[in-house]
Amino acid sequence: IAFCRGRVVRVPKGPLIRVMGTEVVIPCSVSDYDGPSEQNFDWEFSRETDFVRIVSTWDSTFTSEEYQKRVGHGDIKLRRSSNDAVELVIRNIQPTDQGRYKCSTPSTDATVQGNYDAEVQVKVISDGLSVSGSKARSSTSLRLSEGDSFKLRCSAITTSPEHTHLHVTWQIRSGSTWRDILSLTHEGKFQPGSGYEERYRNGDIRLDTGANDTYRLSVSQASPVDGGAYRCLVSEWVRGADSSWQKIQEKSVEIATVSIQRTDVVISTSNVSVTERDSLDLTCNVTTDRSGIFQAEVMWYFSTSPDDTLSDAQVLLSMDRDSVVSDSTLISLSHVDRNSYRLLVRDVDVEDSGYYFCQAAVWVPLHNGSWHKVVERTSAPVSVVVTALEPDYEVFLNASKTPKFSDDPTELNCRITNAQDTEANVRFTVSWYYRQHLHSDDVVTEELLARMDADWTLLLGDRSRERTQNGEIIFSKKAVDTFSLRIQWTSESDRGDYFCVISAWSRHRNNTWVKSKDVTSASVSIFWATQDYTLTVEAVKLKPFFVAGHTFEMTCKVSSKNIKTPRYSVLITAEKPLTDQSNPNGTTRIISLNQDSVVRLEDWTDQTRVDGVVLEKVQENEFRYRMYQTQISDAGLYRCVVTAWSPGGGGMWREAVNGLSNPIQIDFQTSGPVFNVSVHSDNPTIYQGELADLLCIVTTEGMALEPDDMSFDVSWFAVRSFALDREPVLLASLDRRGIVTQSRRNGSSDLSLERISPLEFRLRVHGCEDHDFGNHYCVVTPWVRSATGVWQREPDIKAKPIFLSVKMDVLNAFKYPLLIGIGLATAIGLLSCLIGYCSSRWCCKKEVQETRRERRRLMSMEMD
């Protein structure tokens, strides 16, 4: 199979049937060519055999003498539609133009391939199409009312010798253009124009065929948009040789000019303003030019928005076409005359303010006695404003109680005066506001304290909600015309301006209350001068000299200014030397006495001297501290920390100011021994599971003491890190009576603590684990017996830590797992051998019978 590519010239498939006197357009195109994109074309015509040259796109001398006049006048011309296509246009075609037309293209190809011309037959027939109006009259004029119906007719007939179809379209002129209304196509289908689809589906627009080739347009429910000139447009179609439909001619005739009189609904009154309790009078006028019998159906609407769609509107009253009015008490609707309807609303109030609409529908009787609604229209909205009757009154605010100090009560009274025009339908409520004092000119917005609604519901603001719920702020109504605000305990944050707003509420017909007026009072300033609180504390040591074992005593005297009825709480603190390991922070809280004279031990931990410290109140501003049987470890600076309290709200006390006394020093001059502590271990690196021995060794310098005159409290600590950056953990402790105390442990290792000599204490860690590593040290508290037989506690001594390292014994760790693995592997291997032997001996034994073979000697190659 070979494929060839060459030039192809195409014209429509003939014959082309055209009507005499019309314009004929014959297209010609070329494809699959070489050379330039724009191609040239030559047209020739033949009635029988010879072709006559008509026109060419590239040669002006191509036209023969017979066609030069028509080509020169433009009756025959070429119209290029693209680079490879042209159209031959013949105006006012005549029977002499019937024949064969040939389109040729000069060659621009490298090789000659394909066809270079094509022919088409054109047949010219006589004009047999006739289009006319009803009874062959010229265009008529119709004047109708909105909602009426009308019909228009036109006649269309053809006597064409060919089998043609008619396409009838009714059109209306809008301005200078014609718009399609409804068509009956040449294929027998009805096709509504743009914008008429809904009316066609509803049956308001129809196209009917009648006798004598008439086409009738029926329009129901005419609207103002149906006004204009109507024409009947008829086109004649024929099926071509390629089975496609071709329009061969078109004619039209204007049928009528229709004018539609609009039916308007107008409310005679424009925007209205009435006073509360008056009557509202509105009239709805229905404007129509109908002279026959009709009835109007009227409905009044009310809406808060001017939206004429009435989506959210409320129906007030309605009157049907029989003049039957829907029932209402305060609203009436009456038929004043043929086209006027009056709405009367009595005793209006503020809620009646809004927009009023009148909707009217016109009904006409039909021949069968039924009624038909021809038009429905809604008026433009009328704005109605109802002015409320405001009561006349004044508001006066005064302070019946003003604070002079913090926590004093404050009471404000808001009173209504000179009230006029206040009926039983008026109710008064109050709103309280606060405004802060500022020294600058900055604008401060007021804060709502409380607001009362028309139903006496109290709504609290954010500023006063919590205090009102706690009873610190009270809102009340003392009388019909008096409202009160009371602050039980006024604080400095309450200083500022206060004012009240009295609101008047009017009761409407539906028993709802609507605010009609607000009157604001003048502001009242709540302010008192304040001075800074001052507090002075002086500590005095009663006994200037004493020795260990005696009683230490000091007093704290307090004086204050600008504090109303103060009370004091006292705390005794001690600042120990930095060498005291019992309190690394340096300050110890010993005992306190609060403003209610309740004594409490704070950080006093000496169980042997629970009753060794006493704090008591001597006078209202004087306190005394005693410490019995003082120890050397009690040395330090002692102070009184005093807090002044003033009465607060609800019987509570409010902290006013703090004060610190001068220090009182306790210092003991001793010539006893000096104790030193060290930690030692023969083997600080051990393996897991082994025993770790740590020794805490105490040494003395200076005056020698008998062992019975010395005793020690020993505590062992561990820090589980290399750099001592974690908190120490108490391991075990041994007091001077020999009682051992151990802390709880999570691991499997165990501890033991013992005294092996008067100055040596041993800590043993049994079965060490990896979490037992870290820095270990001991803290020793020496106790020395004085000549009087009293035991004195010396300052705590901390030893330098020693690092204990715990390693893992690899051989011991893997010894037992290896032995167990080897034993299991050996047992499994022996069991496998035993199972294999038994299976082969008894389970898989099979007797095989061998076939007897003959034994023959092979012959030599030579003998064979």
Side-chain angles (χ1 to χ4, degrees), residues 547-673:
V547 295
H550 289 189
T551 300
F552 169 74
E553 185 176 357
M554 75 174 184
T555 60
C556 298
K557 293 184 179 181
V558 184
S559 62
S560 62
K561 294 181 181 180
N562 304 323
I563 303 177
K564 179 185 176 183
T565 61
R567 286 191 182 180
Y568 306 102
S569 61
V570 181
L571 172 66
I572 304 300
T573 63
E575 297 179 12
K576 299 296 185 67
L578 296 178
T579 56
D580 188 358
Q581 301 298 327
S582 63
N583 187 8
N585 296 326
T587 302
T588 303
R589 297 159 54 94
I590 300 176
I591 191 171
S592 64
L593 183 145
N594 65 9
Q595 66 271 20
D596 295 324
S597 299
V598 177
V599 179
R600 175 185 174 186
L601 286 175
E602 298 292 338
D603 298 333
W604 185 261
T605 58
D606 192 346
Q607 299 298 325
T608 61
R609 294 192 298 161
V610 175
D611 299 329
V613 290
V614 176
L615 179 61
E616 57 185 351
K617 184 176 181 180
V618 180
Q619 296 180 10
E620 192 65 33
N621 61 342
E622 184 177 353
F623 302 88
R624 181 168 54 206
Y625 170 67
R626 286 193 182 98
M627 182 167 55
Y628 301 100
Q629 295 182 357
T630 56
Q631 305 286 338
I632 297 178
S633 59
D634 295 329
L637 298 177
Y638 287 77
R639 299 176 187 267
C640 297
V641 180
V642 180
T643 302
W645 301 79
S646 62
M652 304 297 291
W653 289 93
R654 182 170 57 87
E655 181 178 339
V657 66
N658 295 320
L660 185 66
S661 72
N662 54 298
I664 300 299
Q665 185 175 11
I666 298 179
D667 190 13
F668 299 96
Q669 299 296 329
T670 61
S671 58

Side-chain angles (χ1 to χ4, degrees), residues 21-35:
T22 61
E23 182 180 88
V24 177
V25 178
I26 306 175
C28 178
S29 63
V30 62
S31 61
D32 300 333
Y33 58 87
D34 296 333

Side-chain angles (χ1 to χ4, degrees), residues 763-781:
L763 173 69
R764 285 185 172 183
V765 183
H766 305 271
C768 288
E769 296 181 354
D770 53 356
H771 59 78
D772 290 322
F773 86 102
N775 290 281
H776 292 67
Y777 64 91
C778 65
V779 176
V780 177
T781 304

Side-chain angles (χ1 to χ4, degrees), residues 198-371:
E198 185 67 24
R199 298 180 67 184
Y200 171 73
R201 288 193 292 267
N202 295 336
D204 293 338
I205 296 178
R206 301 193 315 275
L207 197 160
D208 303 318
T209 59
N212 299 325
D213 299 314
T214 59
Y215 299 87
R216 182 175 64 248
L217 174 67
S218 300
V219 179
S220 301
Q221 299 287 333
S223 62
V225 297
D226 294 326
Y230 286 77
R231 77 173 181 179
C232 180
L233 179 65
V234 181
S235 57
E236 190 172 7
W237 295 71
V238 66
R239 191 183 292 273
D242 56 354
S243 298
S244 64
W245 287 98
Q246 301 173 6
K247 182 169 68 173
I248 60 177
Q249 69 169 324
E250 185 177 79
K251 292 182 179 181
S252 65
V253 60
E254 289 197 19
I255 303 300
T257 300
V258 178
S259 61
I260 307 297
Q261 180 65 30
R262 179 184 175 89
T263 299
D264 288 328
V265 177
V266 180
I267 300 178
S268 59
T269 308
S270 58
N271 296 341
V272 181
S273 178
V274 295
T275 307
E276 191 177 9
R277 308 285 186 243
D278 288 347
S279 297
L280 174 64
D281 192 352
L282 299 175
T283 302
C284 178
N285 295 321
V286 182
T287 304
T288 180
D289 61 347
R290 293 183 179 276
S291 58
I293 300 174
F294 71 92
Q295 294 289 346
E297 185 179 68
V298 179
M299 187 172 296
W300 281 91
Y301 289 90
F302 169 77
S303 177
T304 56
S305 65
D307 185 10
D308 57 1
T309 59
L310 305 180
S311 58
D312 299 326
Q314 173 188 356
V315 179
L316 296 177
L317 274 183
S318 63
M319 177 185 291
D320 62 12
R321 62 177 182 270
D322 297 326
S323 297
V324 178
V325 182
S326 57
D327 196 11
S328 180
T329 304
L330 299 175
I331 307 176
S332 62
L333 177 60
S334 58
H335 194 174
V336 180
D337 55 31
R338 177 178 172 82
N339 295 328
S340 299
Y341 300 86
R342 178 188 180 193
L343 175 70
L344 182 63
V345 182
R346 292 178 293 274
D347 193 19
V348 296
D349 57 20
V350 180
E351 287 186 344
D352 295 325
S353 297
Y355 297 90
Y356 288 77
F357 301 84
C358 176
Q359 187 182 75
V362 177
W363 295 74
V364 297
L366 300 179
H367 299 293
N368 57 2
S370 61
W371 289 83

Side-chain angles (χ1 to χ4, degrees), residues 105 124 224 263 348 377 385 401 417 441 491 521 587 638 646 724:
T105 58
V124 181
T263 299
V348 296
R377 187 79 68 230
V385 178
K401 292 184 179 180
T417 61
D441 296 333
S491 63
S521 71
T587 302
Y638 287 77
S646 62
L724 296 174

Side-chain angles (χ1 to χ4, degrees), residues 382-430:
V382 171
S383 176
V384 175
V385 178
V386 179
T387 305
L389 289 174
E390 295 183 354
D392 188 14
Y393 59 96
E394 297 178 357
V395 178
F396 176 72
L397 177 65
N398 70 312
S400 59
K401 292 184 179 180
T402 56
K404 297 181 180 179
F405 294 96
S406 179
D407 298 324
D408 283 353
T410 300
E411 187 169 351
L412 303 175
N413 294 321
C414 185
R415 186 174 291 107
I416 304 171
T417 61
N418 300 330
Q420 299 177 4
D421 299 331
T422 56
E423 306 172 0
N425 291 328
V426 176
R427 178 179 291 178
F428 294 101
T429 60
V430 68

